[in-house]
Amino acid sequence: MAFDLVTVSDRRHSALQKGFNLRWPLGNVQGQSSTKGANLIYLCRSPQDIMDAAAQALALPNGRITVRSGGHCYEGFVANKMPDSPNEVLSILDISALNRVVYDASGQIGSELSPTQPFRYRFRLEAGSQVWDSYSALYKQANKTLPGGSCYSVGLGGHICGGGYGLLSRKYGLVCDWLSGVDILVPDSQGKGLEPRHVSRDSTQQDELDLFAACCGAGGGQFGIITSYYFEDLPPAPKEVLWLVLEWDWSVLTQDALNNLLVAYQRWFASHQSNPDTWGLATKLEMRHEHTGNITLGIHYVDKEGELNDRAPFDDFVDKMLTAIGLPATESLVPFHVVHLPPGTAGGRPIDSVSSAQAAARRLDWLVCQQTLNGSGDNQRGRYKSAYQKGEFSPQVLQAIWTTLTWPDPDNHLTQSLIQIQSFGGQINAASAPVRKESSAAQRSSFLKWQPQCYWHDDSAAADQAHADWIRELYGNAFADAQGVPLNNAFEGCYINYPDLDMTYTGGNPANGKNPQWYKIFFPDLMIESRLRRTKQRWDPHNIFRNEMSVP
């Protein structure tokens, strides 16, 4: 057996128990292993390693396996033992060493797991490859890209099967919309090991098509272990990008000004959904708690040809936002991934017109821009939520946002806390019928995507509770008429790749009991939800791959 087995006696054990979010495993202390985390970590270098490791781990009494590629799961689904299972022997199968990016211009790449299958592809991306490495390799090998995320160390394993969303998704759609085939190790009939399968968008068996669709947006760690993703084609990498970050200091910000900006922000993307020439404009609006810092609006733009010859959509967007807020912005000077921007530090040149925005915008080669924006930030404790917004901002939601940004914080806990609202829609919403048919990405009507988030280093119970209260109150107030859940006429639920255990409770609050209908919040399309339940029963009837938010 070629895998490397890390046990508690190995000095690497405490580090390899952990992922990016240092809330996990429960009881996490730096330099120490947690009894509530993985007992064993298998470092796998091939699909055969994974099968051998799974067989060994599942043969242990009370054995359970999880899989890790990049380690960015927001909740503790990989790192934690299941609740009320103190005798569980948890093994993490780390597949980060499976990180090759393979390209064949003639399109003759076959399945590594099932080479007798007739399907052929141009690209094979192994599931352990990280986002930045994949972008760089695809650009250099084929002048292609993935319309994926901008955190460099996220692994493709969980990113793509959860949908795969990023700054090029309005222009090109979700990464999973381009997916053509998948190598996946699924449980055997006894649930004692794994066996190889290849499923394709062109599979002829319905149960294989269902499994492929589950790999297109249902999230990872639920049906098997994906080892490779296959693509018949990928979108061309843009030549250049226009990049600008506007910043508004808290000293000049008013509630009315922010409300006006938010209303105009949503309306711009909703009103331009029908114009593909504008889909190359993508944004991140980051509204920080007043103890965290200023408001920023990052604007990433390429024209319809992937160049910068037509800048009319960029100019129009900037003009509409500056007019709406009615306050001059400044050019933000700090790296975009920095969360803490103390009020009073906005020192960039003033931006109060389209011409001043044009002068401040940076014209960057596409690969340079991706490297510039590819920041994952510090490994620390974090909490996250999500929401898809299809309608306008109501007075209730606007008030909830302002209340959250000015939330009393006498102990100064909220120094890395923000409400991020990103652009959405475009090609995502315009996906073809064949793509939608084999997709589990249920939200195809929204124009904005929320990602409230907060970070902290202090591992005290008080710090943990302060951040939990802050982020929960946002949803409790914003969606009070929907029992604290973003599922109503203006919102279409949450993103499975930003998992949030709060949403599994009634009212989105763990103080209440479990909500038996929680899965509909993430998959509000009944056809998709029903298919995922059926697929789980077909491919993993023994529930080998389980966590607190796996298919119920």
Side-chain angles (χ1 to χ4, degrees):
M1 295 183 182
F3 59 71
D4 187 0
L5 177 57
V6 177
T7 67
V8 70
S9 63
D10 191 310
R11 63 190 299 168
R12 299 172 294 175
H13 187 267
S14 64
L16 295 178
Q17 274 192 321
K18 304 174 181 67
F20 183 75
N21 189 345
L22 295 184
R23 286 175 63 208
W24 319 120
L26 293 169
N28 167 27
V29 176
Q30 289 295 299
Q32 298 180 24
S33 296
S34 170
T35 58
K36 298 180 180 180
N39 304 82
L40 304 168
I41 298 103
Y42 291 83
L43 304 179
C44 303
R45 299 176 179 84
S46 69
Q48 187 62 53
D49 281 0
I50 299 171
M51 288 187 283
D52 292 342
Q56 180 173 303
L58 291 171
L60 297 171
N62 301 308
R64 173 173 162 257
I65 59 173
T66 60
V67 59
R68 172 177 289 157
S69 55
H72 277 259
C73 186
Y74 285 172
E75 292 285 359
F77 301 152
V78 175
N80 287 342
K81 295 178 180 178
M82 290 291 285
D84 304 318
S85 301
N87 296 322
E88 178 179 283
V89 179
L90 174 61
S91 297
I92 296 175
L93 277 55
D94 186 314
I95 67 168
S96 58
L98 280 72
N99 56 15
R100 289 178 295 173
V101 174
V102 182
Y103 169 60
D104 178 5
S106 65
Q108 293 303 307
I109 297 174
S111 166
E112 183 184 40
L113 289 188
S114 302
T116 60
Q117 291 275 4
F119 311 112
R120 293 294 180 266
Y121 312 96
R122 287 186 176 86
F123 301 90
R124 180 169 73 87
L125 279 63
E126 292 187 336
S129 181
Q130 296 183 352
V131 165
W132 165 248
D133 294 328
S134 302
Y135 291 161
S136 180
L138 289 170
Y139 185 81
K140 293 174 182 178
Q141 292 183 37
N143 195 23
K144 299 284 189 174
T145 191
L146 300 170
S150 54
C151 291
Y152 76 93
S153 58
V154 167
L156 297 187
H159 186 58
I160 295 177
C161 67
Y165 160 82
L167 290 169
L168 288 177
S169 291
R170 286 192 74 242
K171 183 172 179 61
Y172 290 136
L174 302 173
V175 178
C176 70
D177 294 345
W178 291 81
L179 190 61
S180 303
V182 175
D183 277 347
I184 183 170
L185 300 171
V186 297
D188 62 23
S189 59
Q190 291 79 37
K192 296 181 179 180
L194 304 179
E195 58 187 25
R197 287 278 184 162
H198 181 80
V199 293
S200 165
R201 193 176 292 276
D202 296 320
S203 293
T204 57
Q205 300 297 315
Q206 188 59 51
D207 59 350
E208 292 186 356
L209 286 172
D210 289 348
L211 182 57
F212 176 81
C215 295
C216 293
Q222 303 181 78
F223 305 94
I225 297 178
I226 295 170
T227 59
S228 287
Y229 292 103
Y230 294 82
F231 300 85
E232 292 180 2
D233 200 4
L234 284 169
K239 182 177 185 292
E240 294 178 281
V241 172
L242 207 59
W243 174 246
L244 175 66
V245 184
L246 304 176
E247 182 174 351
W248 289 277
D249 197 280
W250 260 105
S251 64
V252 301
L253 196 66
T254 66
Q255 184 174 0
D256 285 344
L258 183 60
N259 287 352
N260 291 338
L261 175 66
L262 285 166
V263 169
Y265 187 60
Q266 188 277 339
R267 286 179 178 171
W268 195 92
F269 289 105
S271 65
H272 288 81
Q273 173 60 33
S274 61
N275 183 1
D277 290 354
T278 69
W279 292 355
L281 189 137
T283 59
K284 285 187 178 182
L285 175 62
E286 297 188 334
M287 299 173 287
R288 293 166 174 80
H289 184 273
E290 57 187 350
H291 286 178
T292 297
N294 296 328
I295 310 300
T296 56
L297 175 56
I299 308 167
H300 179 280
Y301 177 72
V302 299
D303 68 16
K304 61 183 178 181
E305 304 299 335
E307 300 187 13
L308 294 175
N309 298 316
D310 175 14
R311 302 191 186 187
F314 174 88
D315 293 347
D316 181 67
F317 178 79
V318 170
D319 178 61
K320 293 294 194 301
M321 297 308 107
L322 289 175
T323 299
I325 196 169
L327 299 171
T330 58
E331 172 195 10
S332 186
L333 300 178
V334 301
F336 191 59
H337 65 268
V338 173
V339 174
H340 189 66
L341 289 177
T345 61
R349 71 186 102 174
I351 299 176
D352 56 5
S353 64
V354 172
S355 60
S356 56
Q358 291 171 336
R362 299 173 65 189
R363 182 172 182 168
L364 299 170
D365 290 327
W366 179 80
L367 191 65
V368 172
C369 185
Q370 299 320 297
Q371 191 168 30
T372 300
L373 302 183
N374 255 283
S376 291
D378 294 351
N379 289 58
Q380 53 187 325
R381 303 170 82 82
R383 274 190 175 273
Y384 312 81
K385 289 189 178 295
S386 68
Y388 290 93
Q389 183 174 349
K390 59 183 179 180
E392 295 193 347
F393 285 93
S394 68
Q396 175 179 286
V397 172
L398 291 172
Q399 182 59 53
I401 289 173
W402 185 260
T403 298
T404 302
L405 298 180
T406 57
W407 187 261
D409 181 32
D411 296 320
N412 211 36
H413 287 300
L414 304 176
T415 57
Q416 297 185 79
S417 303
L418 67 150
I419 304 169
Q420 178 176 290
I421 302 182
Q422 304 156 188
S423 55
F424 201 71
Q427 181 58 39
I428 301 168
N429 294 357
S432 67
V435 166
R436 287 175 180 245
K437 182 181 178 184
E438 310 303 342
S439 175
S440 297
Q443 292 86 356
R444 301 275 186 174
S445 301
S446 289
F447 307 111
L448 299 178
K449 186 172 190 173
W450 289 36
Q451 191 185 13
Q453 53 200 271
C454 50
Y455 305 95
W456 65 102
H457 293 286
D458 181 2
D459 61 2
S460 68
D464 285 357
Q465 193 62 50
H467 291 91
D469 290 345
W470 179 79
I471 205 166
R472 286 171 182 160
E473 283 298 318
L474 169 62
Y475 276 38
N477 292 330
F479 310 114
D481 56 349
Q483 296 186 317
V485 172
L487 191 58
N488 53 32
N489 290 335
F491 288 81
E492 54 176 346
C494 300
Y495 181 33
I496 194 64
N497 254 18
Y498 300 163
D500 174 17
L501 270 173
D502 287 354
M503 290 295 110
T504 66
Y505 294 90
T506 300
N509 191 334
N512 304 324
K514 283 287 187 178
N515 175 9
Q517 302 298 317
W518 70 266
Y519 202 57
K520 296 180 185 296
I521 299 170
F522 293 86
F523 299 97
D525 183 302
L526 180 59
M527 186 278 290
I528 291 175
E529 182 202 3
S530 300
R531 182 176 62 196
L532 289 174
R533 291 177 185 268
R534 181 176 72 241
T535 303
K536 179 69 170 178
Q537 287 299 314
R538 162 63 180 87
W539 292 100
D540 187 17
H542 300 284
N543 204 22
I544 299 302
F545 292 98
R546 61 190 183 275
N547 59 58
E548 293 162 274
M549 284 181 61
S550 54
V551 183

